[in-house]
Amino acid sequence: MRTAFFASLLEMAEQDSRVFLTVGDLGFSVIEPFLARFPDRFLNTGIAEQNMTGVAAGLALSGKVVFTYSIANFPTLRCLEQIRNDVCYHNADVKIVAVGGGFSYGSLGMSHHATEDIAIMRALPRMTVVAPGDPLEAFGAVRALVNTPGPAYLRLGKTGEAKLHGPDFRFELGKAFQLRDGGDATLVATGGMLQTAIDVAEQLDRRGIRVRVLSMPTIKPLDVDAILCAARETAALVTLEEHSIIGGLGSAVAETLMDEGAGAIPLKRLGLPSAFASRAGSQEYLRAVNGLSEDAICATVEAFLSARVAPSAADFVAA
């Protein structure tokens, strides 16, 4: 996703002279093409993310579209006050890019684990929140965000993600994308868990369980129509994210179902516990420790579908 992001950013900068990039003294294996092509639209503010965000807000208020870029928590949590007060309050055209969502930098420990960022960014007024599931979604998201005024958060994986959409794929902000169909359940995934969702659906299919897979790259605004359609057409919903179970995709889907009067649909939220990881290790290892491996998700979904029993009027009378 990181490579797709920079390719798209460079293309958009060629087309739109407003596009700027600021970084927090990192990314020097991927930023060189942008720096070489647009040295007057690039700023390295150093390891000073609060300053980076303030500079970006100033540039945006002078008519620029500014992308800030750093690892995991640093362009978000370290400078949250500046994002809230300088960017969101002024509706500044600043796009905050975090590389390494979830446990992408797992071996570096909890300081580099981005596991609460979606919830926090989603709570900020005027903030659009996007977590692409593959390079094609990431590429399209950059184009969409350049053309969408106002603050945005773009949460990327690190590198090596496979392309999961076909060559005719077209990204649209605020839209979900169906990759598989099925009636037994809908698996709604965001970010780097999309590949896992597809693998889980294929494994469940071999066991006779037909699962629809929805990619939900835009978490705010959420595709309400896609969620309600899945609630009508499939027997249960399961959300999947490499993020705290609190405040992320699962919370957004649950809130939508309740607000729209569709709360009767069985819903299972799969994510990370509201706790700091007690260990460091690879992304794959930390996912497995937290029940987000393919096999663990399959077992959880199977148990959930087997256990759900719709209550009848008699149940309530007896109670």
Side-chain angles (χ1 to χ4, degrees):
M1 290 189 213
R2 180 174 59 180
T3 302
F5 162 72
F6 276 106
S8 187
L9 185 67
L10 188 62
E11 181 178 296
M12 293 306 297
E14 293 279 4
Q15 301 172 16
D16 191 334
S17 62
R18 299 175 303 153
V19 175
F20 270 65
L21 173 64
T22 67
V23 303
D25 201 29
L26 83 164
F28 288 95
S29 63
V30 286
I31 64 172
E32 285 83 357
F34 191 99
L35 173 59
R37 179 67 183 86
F38 303 108
D40 57 340
R41 287 195 258 158
F42 172 84
L43 288 173
N44 178 9
T45 59
I47 304 175
E49 288 81 0
Q50 295 95 331
N51 185 50
M52 177 177 72
T53 304
V55 167
L59 286 167
L61 292 175
S62 67
K64 311 304 180 184
V65 179
V66 189
F67 285 77
T68 66
Y69 176 86
S70 190
I71 292 176
N73 298 319
F74 304 139
T76 54
L77 305 189
R78 182 174 285 177
C79 47
L80 181 57
E81 182 178 4
Q82 285 74 25
I83 294 172
R84 179 181 182 270
N85 296 353
D86 298 345
V87 175
C88 291
Y89 181 70
H90 294 96
N91 202 29
D93 217 346
V94 175
K95 319 302 182 185
I96 301 151
V97 182
V99 63
F103 290 133
S104 297
Y105 287 93
S107 61
L108 297 180
M110 60 79 56
S111 65
H112 286 62
H113 297 168
T115 54
E116 312 89 9
D117 52 317
I118 292 175
I120 294 167
M121 293 294 105
R122 181 174 162 252
L124 294 173
R126 299 172 174 163
M127 180 69 75
T128 296
V129 179
V130 183
D134 83 335
L136 294 174
E137 290 185 358
F139 191 94
V142 175
R143 301 171 66 91
L145 292 176
V146 169
N147 293 308
T148 304
Y153 176 50
L154 180 61
R155 186 198 212 226
L156 302 175
K158 189 178 178 184
T159 187
E161 298 90 353
K163 293 179 180 179
L164 303 176
H165 295 279
D168 296 329
F169 172 74
R170 294 293 180 267
F171 180 88
E172 186 176 347
L173 204 60
K175 292 297 182 182
F177 305 97
Q178 183 173 314
L179 284 87
R180 289 179 62 96
D181 201 7
D184 294 325
T186 296
L187 192 53
V188 187
T190 194
M193 296 306 296
L194 181 57
Q195 176 70 72
T196 302
I198 294 171
D199 294 341
V200 165
E202 291 174 351
Q203 186 175 149
L204 291 173
D205 187 69
R206 293 192 290 271
R207 304 178 191 182
I209 301 172
R210 311 292 182 246
V211 176
R212 176 180 298 183
V213 175
L214 285 182
S215 174
M216 192 69 71
T218 309
I219 302 171
K220 181 186 177 186
L222 195 73
D223 190 341
V224 174
D225 290 341
I227 295 299
L228 295 181
C229 181
R232 290 192 303 268
E233 296 178 355
T234 66
L237 297 182
V238 179
T239 60
L240 181 58
E241 59 192 311
E242 194 173 338
H243 180 273
S244 171
I245 202 69
I246 297 175
L249 173 66
S251 293
V253 170
E255 292 159 12
T256 295
L257 293 172
M258 295 303 296
D259 290 345
E260 298 293 331
I265 182 77
L267 169 66
K268 181 72 173 177
R269 296 177 299 136
L270 297 182
L272 303 174
S274 182
F276 295 116
S278 60
R279 315 176 195 184
S282 69
Q283 184 176 29
E284 181 181 10
Y285 168 74
L286 290 172
R287 283 182 177 181
V289 166
N290 288 279
L292 293 182
S293 67
E294 180 184 333
D295 288 344
I297 294 168
C298 282
T300 300
V301 172
E302 276 194 294
F304 172 60
L305 296 179
S306 297
R308 62 179 182 82
V309 177
S312 66
D315 295 325
F316 291 107
V317 171

